[in-house]
Amino acid sequence: MGELIASLLELVAEIGLTIQEFFFRKKKKRRRAYEKANNLPIKRMISPNQRVYILLAVLGFISFLIIIFFPSSSNKQITIKKLTEIKELLEKEKQVFGKYPNELRIIIRNNPLRENLLEDGWNNTFIYEIKENGAGYFLISCGNDEVFKTEDDIFIVNN
């Protein structure tokens, strides 16, 4: 149903642009005749289609600048989601095998859906360390600055 509505809206927009273009051509023809009759310089006239293309180009450029200069805060949310998923997998490992794995990549288990699980939102590898007694672990993301032991680090400590 949504596709039908989108198609109808696209058709209405296309018809509207065609009608505007028709009236623009008539207006441009009258303007050119007036300029020729009065020996005036030719005035630049922008058609409705050109206006749409210019608007799309400007909006695209502004979107590009926003994406470049204002990176999304979703990297932190992605990292928290991955940390939570890793925590659940580590707990399942502990239930099944009685201990946490020595290396974090073991929880992937040749599952292609978990292929990128070991990297945070900034494409840095998580740091995983088992506590001395083996009863807990540290799981750390270095955060946006890519430096460990700073304020932006995101971590899970399990006792």
mmCIF file of all heavy atoms in Angstrom, residues 90-128:
data_model
loop_
_atom_site.group_PDB
_atom_site.id
_atom_site.type_symbol
_atom_site.label_atom_id
_atom_site.label_comp_id
_atom_site.label_asym_id
_atom_site.label_seq_id
_atom_site.Cartn_x
_atom_site.Cartn_y
_atom_site.Cartn_z
ATOM 1 N N LEU A 90 29.592 -14.485 26.506
ATOM 2 C CA LEU A 90 30.561 -14.929 27.510
ATOM 3 C C LEU A 90 29.872 -15.675 28.649
ATOM 4 O O LEU A 90 30.401 -16.678 29.162
ATOM 5 C CB LEU A 90 31.357 -13.737 28.048
ATOM 6 C CG LEU A 90 32.376 -13.130 27.077
ATOM 7 C CD1 LEU A 90 32.932 -11.826 27.644
ATOM 8 C CD2 LEU A 90 33.496 -14.113 26.790
ATOM 9 N N GLU A 91 28.711 -15.211 29.035
ATOM 10 C CA GLU A 91 27.968 -15.896 30.104
ATOM 11 C C GLU A 91 27.512 -17.291 29.647
ATOM 12 O O GLU A 91 27.540 -18.247 30.422
ATOM 13 C CB GLU A 91 26.762 -15.056 30.553
ATOM 14 C CG GLU A 91 27.139 -13.761 31.244
ATOM 15 C CD GLU A 91 28.056 -13.943 32.437
ATOM 16 O OE1 GLU A 91 27.864 -14.897 33.219
ATOM 17 O OE2 GLU A 91 28.974 -13.123 32.590
ATOM 18 N N LYS A 92 27.109 -17.403 28.374
ATOM 19 C CA LYS A 92 26.742 -18.718 27.841
ATOM 20 C C LYS A 92 27.948 -19.656 27.815
ATOM 21 O O LYS A 92 27.827 -20.840 28.117
ATOM 22 C CB LYS A 92 26.150 -18.581 26.439
ATOM 23 C CG LYS A 92 24.765 -18.000 26.425
ATOM 24 C CD LYS A 92 24.243 -17.863 25.004
ATOM 25 C CE LYS A 92 22.883 -17.175 25.007
ATOM 26 N NZ LYS A 92 22.401 -16.937 23.630
ATOM 27 N N GLU A 93 29.105 -19.117 27.450
ATOM 28 C CA GLU A 93 30.349 -19.910 27.463
ATOM 29 C C GLU A 93 30.625 -20.427 28.873
ATOM 30 O O GLU A 93 30.992 -21.582 29.064
ATOM 31 C CB GLU A 93 31.535 -19.068 26.983
ATOM 32 C CG GLU A 93 31.573 -18.818 25.516
ATOM 33 C CD GLU A 93 32.117 -19.990 24.726
ATOM 34 O OE1 GLU A 93 33.009 -20.700 25.215
ATOM 35 O OE2 GLU A 93 31.642 -20.185 23.603
ATOM 36 N N LYS A 94 30.443 -19.551 29.852
ATOM 37 C CA LYS A 94 30.702 -19.945 31.240
ATOM 38 C C LYS A 94 29.723 -21.040 31.669
ATOM 39 O O LYS A 94 30.097 -21.986 32.358
ATOM 40 C CB LYS A 94 30.589 -18.732 32.158
ATOM 41 C CG LYS A 94 30.626 -19.039 33.627
ATOM 42 C CD LYS A 94 31.873 -18.574 34.249
ATOM 43 C CE LYS A 94 31.849 -19.005 35.705
ATOM 44 N NZ LYS A 94 32.837 -18.463 36.500
ATOM 45 N N GLN A 95 28.453 -20.924 31.259
ATOM 46 C CA GLN A 95 27.458 -21.942 31.607
ATOM 47 C C GLN A 95 27.807 -23.286 30.979
ATOM 48 O O GLN A 95 27.723 -24.317 31.637
ATOM 49 C CB GLN A 95 26.066 -21.527 31.111
ATOM 50 C CG GLN A 95 25.317 -20.624 32.031
ATOM 51 C CD GLN A 95 23.923 -20.339 31.477
ATOM 52 O OE1 GLN A 95 23.682 -20.419 30.272
ATOM 53 N NE2 GLN A 95 23.005 -20.007 32.372
ATOM 54 N N VAL A 96 28.196 -23.270 29.719
ATOM 55 C CA VAL A 96 28.441 -24.514 28.994
ATOM 56 C C VAL A 96 29.766 -25.160 29.401
ATOM 57 O O VAL A 96 29.831 -26.359 29.665
ATOM 58 C CB VAL A 96 28.405 -24.272 27.468
ATOM 59 C CG1 VAL A 96 28.834 -25.512 26.699
ATOM 60 C CG2 VAL A 96 27.013 -23.840 27.040
ATOM 61 N N PHE A 97 30.840 -24.370 29.460
ATOM 62 C CA PHE A 97 32.176 -24.925 29.681
ATOM 63 C C PHE A 97 32.710 -24.729 31.106
ATOM 64 O O PHE A 97 33.780 -25.219 31.439
ATOM 65 C CB PHE A 97 33.172 -24.328 28.686
ATOM 66 C CG PHE A 97 32.831 -24.648 27.263
ATOM 67 C CD1 PHE A 97 32.307 -23.676 26.429
ATOM 68 C CD2 PHE A 97 33.007 -25.926 26.761
ATOM 69 C CE1 PHE A 97 31.991 -23.968 25.111
ATOM 70 C CE2 PHE A 97 32.691 -26.225 25.445
ATOM 71 C CZ PHE A 97 32.173 -25.250 24.622
ATOM 72 N N GLY A 98 31.985 -23.982 31.938
ATOM 73 C CA GLY A 98 32.393 -23.790 33.323
ATOM 74 C C GLY A 98 33.455 -22.721 33.519
ATOM 75 O O GLY A 98 33.905 -22.487 34.631
ATOM 76 N N LYS A 99 33.886 -22.069 32.457
ATOM 77 C CA LYS A 99 34.873 -20.990 32.573
ATOM 78 C C LYS A 99 34.725 -20.058 31.376
ATOM 79 O O LYS A 99 34.128 -20.402 30.363
ATOM 80 C CB LYS A 99 36.289 -21.538 32.625
ATOM 81 C CG LYS A 99 36.722 -22.262 31.372
ATOM 82 C CD LYS A 99 38.159 -22.693 31.445
ATOM 83 C CE LYS A 99 38.581 -23.251 30.078
ATOM 84 N NZ LYS A 99 39.982 -23.391 29.951
ATOM 85 N N TYR A 100 35.283 -18.864 31.541
ATOM 86 C CA TYR A 100 35.285 -17.909 30.435
ATOM 87 C C TYR A 100 36.386 -18.290 29.450
ATOM 88 O O TYR A 100 37.410 -18.833 29.839
ATOM 89 C CB TYR A 100 35.512 -16.491 30.954
ATOM 90 C CG TYR A 100 34.370 -15.980 31.803
ATOM 91 C CD1 TYR A 100 34.514 -15.803 33.172
ATOM 92 C CD2 TYR A 100 33.147 -15.681 31.232
ATOM 93 C CE1 TYR A 100 33.476 -15.342 33.950
ATOM 94 C CE2 TYR A 100 32.089 -15.223 32.002
ATOM 95 C CZ TYR A 100 32.259 -15.054 33.358
ATOM 96 O OH TYR A 100 31.222 -14.602 34.117
ATOM 97 N N PRO A 101 36.192 -18.010 28.153
ATOM 98 C CA PRO A 101 37.223 -18.368 27.178
ATOM 99 C C PRO A 101 38.493 -17.549 27.377
ATOM 100 O O PRO A 101 38.450 -16.432 27.895
ATOM 101 C CB PRO A 101 36.574 -18.044 25.830
ATOM 102 C CG PRO A 101 35.484 -17.089 26.127
ATOM 103 C CD PRO A 101 35.032 -17.375 27.520
ATOM 104 N N ASN A 102 39.629 -18.105 26.977
ATOM 105 C CA ASN A 102 40.903 -17.401 27.120
ATOM 106 C C ASN A 102 41.017 -16.230 26.146
ATOM 107 O O ASN A 102 41.645 -15.227 26.454
ATOM 108 C CB ASN A 102 42.071 -18.363 26.891
ATOM 109 C CG ASN A 102 42.154 -19.408 27.969
ATOM 110 O OD1 ASN A 102 41.724 -19.185 29.095
ATOM 111 N ND2 ASN A 102 42.683 -20.571 27.629
ATOM 112 N N GLU A 103 40.425 -16.389 24.969
ATOM 113 C CA GLU A 103 40.460 -15.336 23.960
ATOM 114 C C GLU A 103 39.041 -14.995 23.547
ATOM 115 O O GLU A 103 38.172 -15.865 23.468
ATOM 116 C CB GLU A 103 41.252 -15.793 22.730
ATOM 117 C CG GLU A 103 42.707 -16.057 23.014
ATOM 118 C CD GLU A 103 43.438 -16.519 21.766
ATOM 119 O OE1 GLU A 103 42.885 -16.372 20.654
ATOM 120 O OE2 GLU A 103 44.543 -17.028 21.915
ATOM 121 N N LEU A 104 38.829 -13.720 23.247
ATOM 122 C CA LEU A 104 37.488 -13.252 22.904
ATOM 123 C C LEU A 104 37.005 -13.799 21.561
ATOM 124 O O LEU A 104 35.823 -14.051 21.380
ATOM 125 C CB LEU A 104 37.468 -11.719 22.880
ATOM 126 C CG LEU A 104 36.113 -11.040 22.861
ATOM 127 C CD1 LEU A 104 35.268 -11.494 24.044
ATOM 128 C CD2 LEU A 104 36.272 -9.548 22.870
ATOM 129 N N ARG A 105 37.915 -14.046 20.632
ATOM 130 C CA ARG A 105 37.498 -14.513 19.308
ATOM 131 C C ARG A 105 36.878 -15.909 19.346
ATOM 132 O O ARG A 105 36.243 -16.335 18.390
ATOM 133 C CB ARG A 105 38.661 -14.456 18.320
ATOM 134 C CG ARG A 105 39.797 -15.343 18.627
ATOM 135 C CD ARG A 105 40.933 -15.123 17.615
ATOM 136 N NE ARG A 105 42.150 -15.733 18.096
ATOM 137 C CZ ARG A 105 42.501 -16.968 17.833
ATOM 138 N NH1 ARG A 105 41.753 -17.719 17.066
ATOM 139 N NH2 ARG A 105 43.617 -17.467 18.314
ATOM 140 N N ILE A 106 37.029 -16.621 20.426
ATOM 141 C CA ILE A 106 36.448 -17.965 20.559
ATOM 142 C C ILE A 106 34.917 -17.902 20.510
ATOM 143 O O ILE A 106 34.275 -18.812 19.995
ATOM 144 C CB ILE A 106 36.943 -18.649 21.850
ATOM 145 C CG1 ILE A 106 38.434 -18.954 21.710
ATOM 146 C CG2 ILE A 106 36.152 -19.896 22.150
ATOM 147 C CD1 ILE A 106 39.084 -19.481 22.962
ATOM 148 N N ILE A 107 34.316 -16.823 21.014
ATOM 149 C CA ILE A 107 32.849 -16.742 21.053
ATOM 150 C C ILE A 107 32.227 -16.567 19.670
ATOM 151 O O ILE A 107 31.030 -16.758 19.505
ATOM 152 C CB ILE A 107 32.365 -15.602 21.980
ATOM 153 C CG1 ILE A 107 32.784 -14.232 21.432
ATOM 154 C CG2 ILE A 107 32.825 -15.813 23.395
ATOM 155 C CD1 ILE A 107 32.207 -13.054 22.172
ATOM 156 N N ILE A 108 33.050 -16.265 18.671
ATOM 157 C CA ILE A 108 32.533 -16.118 17.304
ATOM 158 C C ILE A 108 32.060 -17.463 16.763
ATOM 159 O O ILE A 108 31.025 -17.550 16.105
ATOM 160 C CB ILE A 108 33.610 -15.510 16.374
ATOM 161 C CG1 ILE A 108 34.055 -14.138 16.894
ATOM 162 C CG2 ILE A 108 33.107 -15.411 14.947
ATOM 163 C CD1 ILE A 108 32.962 -13.115 16.973
ATOM 164 N N ARG A 109 32.824 -18.541 17.010
ATOM 165 C CA ARG A 109 32.457 -19.914 16.638
ATOM 166 C C ARG A 109 32.067 -20.054 15.160
ATOM 167 O O ARG A 109 31.047 -20.630 14.825
ATOM 168 C CB ARG A 109 31.324 -20.423 17.497
ATOM 169 C CG ARG A 109 31.620 -20.422 18.955
ATOM 170 C CD ARG A 109 31.625 -21.817 19.487
ATOM 171 N NE ARG A 109 31.875 -21.784 20.921
ATOM 172 C CZ ARG A 109 32.995 -22.207 21.454
ATOM 173 N NH1 ARG A 109 33.929 -22.722 20.699
ATOM 174 N NH2 ARG A 109 33.178 -22.143 22.746
ATOM 175 N N ASN A 110 32.838 -19.483 14.270
ATOM 176 C CA ASN A 110 32.607 -19.579 12.821
ATOM 177 C C ASN A 110 31.224 -19.103 12.395
ATOM 178 O O ASN A 110 30.684 -19.551 11.392
ATOM 179 C CB ASN A 110 32.827 -21.010 12.319
ATOM 180 C CG ASN A 110 34.265 -21.419 12.434
ATOM 181 O OD1 ASN A 110 35.167 -20.585 12.289
ATOM 182 N ND2 ASN A 110 34.505 -22.689 12.705
ATOM 183 N N ASN A 111 30.623 -18.213 13.146
ATOM 184 C CA ASN A 111 29.314 -17.666 12.818
ATOM 185 C C ASN A 111 29.519 -16.366 12.036
ATOM 186 O O ASN A 111 30.015 -15.391 12.582
ATOM 187 C CB ASN A 111 28.517 -17.398 14.098
ATOM 188 C CG ASN A 111 27.093 -16.969 13.813
ATOM 189 O OD1 ASN A 111 26.773 -16.513 12.730
ATOM 190 N ND2 ASN A 111 26.246 -17.106 14.820
ATOM 191 N N PRO A 112 29.139 -16.327 10.760
ATOM 192 C CA PRO A 112 29.366 -15.115 9.965
ATOM 193 C C PRO A 112 28.581 -13.904 10.470
ATOM 194 O O PRO A 112 28.959 -12.772 10.211
ATOM 195 C CB PRO A 112 28.918 -15.511 8.558
ATOM 196 C CG PRO A 112 28.102 -16.728 8.715
ATOM 197 C CD PRO A 112 28.527 -17.390 9.979
ATOM 198 N N LEU A 113 27.504 -14.119 11.211
ATOM 199 C CA LEU A 113 26.743 -12.995 11.757
ATOM 200 C C LEU A 113 27.499 -12.300 12.893
ATOM 201 O O LEU A 113 27.206 -11.160 13.223
ATOM 202 C CB LEU A 113 25.378 -13.469 12.255
ATOM 203 C CG LEU A 113 24.457 -14.054 11.187
ATOM 204 C CD1 LEU A 113 23.187 -14.592 11.821
ATOM 205 C CD2 LEU A 113 24.139 -13.005 10.140
ATOM 206 N N ARG A 114 28.452 -12.996 13.483
ATOM 207 C CA ARG A 114 29.235 -12.419 14.583
ATOM 208 C C ARG A 114 30.615 -11.963 14.111
ATOM 209 O O ARG A 114 31.481 -11.679 14.918
ATOM 210 C CB ARG A 114 29.400 -13.456 15.687
ATOM 211 C CG ARG A 114 28.100 -13.846 16.331
ATOM 212 C CD ARG A 114 28.343 -14.848 17.415
ATOM 213 N NE ARG A 114 27.090 -15.321 17.960
ATOM 214 C CZ ARG A 114 26.942 -16.471 18.583
ATOM 215 N NH1 ARG A 114 27.973 -17.269 18.747
ATOM 216 N NH2 ARG A 114 25.785 -16.831 19.061
ATOM 217 N N GLU A 115 30.797 -11.889 12.822
ATOM 218 C CA GLU A 115 32.096 -11.581 12.235
ATOM 219 C C GLU A 115 32.670 -10.252 12.740
ATOM 220 O O GLU A 115 33.843 -10.153 13.070
ATOM 221 C CB GLU A 115 31.928 -11.530 10.718
ATOM 222 C CG GLU A 115 33.185 -11.552 9.943
ATOM 223 C CD GLU A 115 32.882 -11.712 8.466
ATOM 224 O OE1 GLU A 115 32.685 -10.678 7.803
ATOM 225 O OE2 GLU A 115 32.811 -12.855 7.999
ATOM 226 N N ASN A 116 31.841 -9.205 12.808
ATOM 227 C CA ASN A 116 32.303 -7.873 13.218
ATOM 228 C C ASN A 116 32.001 -7.582 14.683
ATOM 229 O O ASN A 116 32.048 -6.423 15.100
ATOM 230 C CB ASN A 116 31.665 -6.802 12.338
ATOM 231 C CG ASN A 116 32.073 -6.945 10.895
ATOM 232 O OD1 ASN A 116 33.203 -7.306 10.610
ATOM 233 N ND2 ASN A 116 31.153 -6.685 9.997
ATOM 234 N N LEU A 117 31.718 -8.579 15.448
ATOM 235 C CA LEU A 117 31.329 -8.384 16.842
ATOM 236 C C LEU A 117 32.490 -7.926 17.717
ATOM 237 O O LEU A 117 32.282 -7.276 18.726
ATOM 238 C CB LEU A 117 30.730 -9.685 17.403
ATOM 239 C CG LEU A 117 30.108 -9.618 18.780
ATOM 240 C CD1 LEU A 117 28.928 -8.658 18.774
ATOM 241 C CD2 LEU A 117 29.642 -10.987 19.210
ATOM 242 N N LEU A 118 33.702 -8.241 17.329
ATOM 243 C CA LEU A 118 34.854 -7.953 18.183
ATOM 244 C C LEU A 118 35.425 -6.558 17.975
ATOM 245 O O LEU A 118 36.435 -6.213 18.574
ATOM 246 C CB LEU A 118 35.950 -9.003 17.944
ATOM 247 C CG LEU A 118 35.510 -10.449 18.170
ATOM 248 C CD1 LEU A 118 36.672 -11.387 17.960
ATOM 249 C CD2 LEU A 118 34.904 -10.625 19.543
ATOM 250 N N GLU A 119 34.770 -5.735 17.144
ATOM 251 C CA GLU A 119 35.207 -4.367 16.924
ATOM 252 C C GLU A 119 34.122 -3.414 17.414
ATOM 253 O O GLU A 119 32.943 -3.632 17.195
ATOM 254 C CB GLU A 119 35.491 -4.114 15.444
ATOM 255 C CG GLU A 119 36.664 -4.895 14.915
ATOM 256 C CD GLU A 119 36.902 -4.633 13.439
ATOM 257 O OE1 GLU A 119 36.044 -3.993 12.791
ATOM 258 O OE2 GLU A 119 37.939 -5.069 12.945
ATOM 259 N N ASP A 120 34.554 -2.325 18.065
ATOM 260 C CA ASP A 120 33.593 -1.352 18.568
ATOM 261 C C ASP A 120 33.079 -0.463 17.436
ATOM 262 O O ASP A 120 33.399 -0.684 16.268
ATOM 263 C CB ASP A 120 34.203 -0.533 19.710
ATOM 264 C CG ASP A 120 35.406 0.284 19.284
ATOM 265 O OD1 ASP A 120 35.654 0.410 18.076
ATOM 266 O OD2 ASP A 120 36.107 0.804 20.172
ATOM 267 N N GLY A 121 32.303 0.547 17.770
ATOM 268 C CA GLY A 121 31.718 1.441 16.781
ATOM 269 C C GLY A 121 32.736 2.263 16.014
ATOM 270 O O GLY A 121 32.426 2.831 14.975
ATOM 271 N N TRP A 122 33.950 2.338 16.507
ATOM 272 C CA TRP A 122 35.017 3.093 15.851
ATOM 273 C C TRP A 122 36.008 2.156 15.155
ATOM 274 O O TRP A 122 37.104 2.560 14.801
ATOM 275 C CB TRP A 122 35.739 3.966 16.860
ATOM 276 C CG TRP A 122 34.822 4.959 17.501
ATOM 277 C CD1 TRP A 122 34.477 6.178 17.013
ATOM 278 C CD2 TRP A 122 34.129 4.817 18.739
ATOM 279 N NE1 TRP A 122 33.602 6.795 17.862
ATOM 280 C CE2 TRP A 122 33.364 5.984 18.937
ATOM 281 C CE3 TRP A 122 34.047 3.809 19.701
ATOM 282 C CZ2 TRP A 122 32.557 6.177 20.045
ATOM 283 C CZ3 TRP A 122 33.239 4.009 20.802
ATOM 284 C CH2 TRP A 122 32.505 5.177 20.976
ATOM 285 N N ASN A 123 35.633 0.894 14.987
ATOM 286 C CA ASN A 123 36.444 -0.136 14.321
ATOM 287 C C ASN A 123 37.747 -0.443 15.052
ATOM 288 O O ASN A 123 38.761 -0.752 14.437
ATOM 289 C CB ASN A 123 36.727 0.232 12.863
ATOM 290 C CG ASN A 123 35.477 0.259 12.032
ATOM 291 O OD1 ASN A 123 34.555 -0.519 12.275
ATOM 292 N ND2 ASN A 123 35.415 1.142 11.076
ATOM 293 N N ASN A 124 37.727 -0.335 16.369
ATOM 294 C CA ASN A 124 38.861 -0.737 17.199
ATOM 295 C C ASN A 124 38.517 -2.053 17.881
ATOM 296 O O ASN A 124 37.375 -2.283 18.275
ATOM 297 C CB ASN A 124 39.161 0.327 18.268
ATOM 298 C CG ASN A 124 39.503 1.658 17.640
ATOM 299 O OD1 ASN A 124 40.277 1.722 16.700
ATOM 300 N ND2 ASN A 124 38.910 2.716 18.143
ATOM 301 N N THR A 125 39.500 -2.903 18.050
ATOM 302 C CA THR A 125 39.275 -4.201 18.686
ATOM 303 C C THR A 125 39.073 -4.013 20.190
ATOM 304 O O THR A 125 39.771 -3.229 20.831
ATOM 305 C CB THR A 125 40.485 -5.113 18.430
ATOM 306 O OG1 THR A 125 40.707 -5.173 17.019
ATOM 307 C CG2 THR A 125 40.229 -6.510 18.961
ATOM 308 N N PHE A 126 38.109 -4.753 20.733
ATOM 309 C CA PHE A 126 37.881 -4.720 22.179
ATOM 310 C C PHE A 126 39.067 -5.353 22.903
ATOM 311 O O PHE A 126 39.697 -6.284 22.397
ATOM 312 C CB PHE A 126 36.619 -5.511 22.554
ATOM 313 C CG PHE A 126 35.340 -4.844 22.130
ATOM 314 C CD1 PHE A 126 34.554 -5.407 21.142
ATOM 315 C CD2 PHE A 126 34.912 -3.669 22.717
ATOM 316 C CE1 PHE A 126 33.367 -4.826 20.747
ATOM 317 C CE2 PHE A 126 33.732 -3.068 22.333
ATOM 318 C CZ PHE A 126 32.961 -3.643 21.351
ATOM 319 N N ILE A 127 39.345 -4.871 24.101
ATOM 320 C CA ILE A 127 40.347 -5.478 24.966
ATOM 321 C C ILE A 127 39.599 -6.400 25.934
ATOM 322 O O ILE A 127 38.645 -5.984 26.595
ATOM 323 C CB ILE A 127 41.132 -4.410 25.773
ATOM 324 C CG1 ILE A 127 41.900 -3.496 24.822
ATOM 325 C CG2 ILE A 127 42.055 -5.058 26.772
ATOM 326 C CD1 ILE A 127 42.989 -4.172 24.045
ATOM 327 N N TYR A 128 40.053 -7.650 25.994
ATOM 328 C CA TYR A 128 39.404 -8.651 26.845
ATOM 329 C C TYR A 128 40.470 -9.291 27.720
ATOM 330 O O TYR A 128 41.481 -9.792 27.215
ATOM 331 C CB TYR A 128 38.731 -9.709 25.966
ATOM 332 C CG TYR A 128 38.228 -10.924 26.692
ATOM 333 C CD1 TYR A 128 37.115 -10.863 27.521
ATOM 334 C CD2 TYR A 128 38.869 -12.150 26.543
ATOM 335 C CE1 TYR A 128 36.648 -11.986 28.174
ATOM 336 C CE2 TYR A 128 38.406 -13.283 27.187
ATOM 337 C CZ TYR A 128 37.301 -13.193 28.002
ATOM 338 O OH TYR A 128 36.837 -14.306 28.640
#
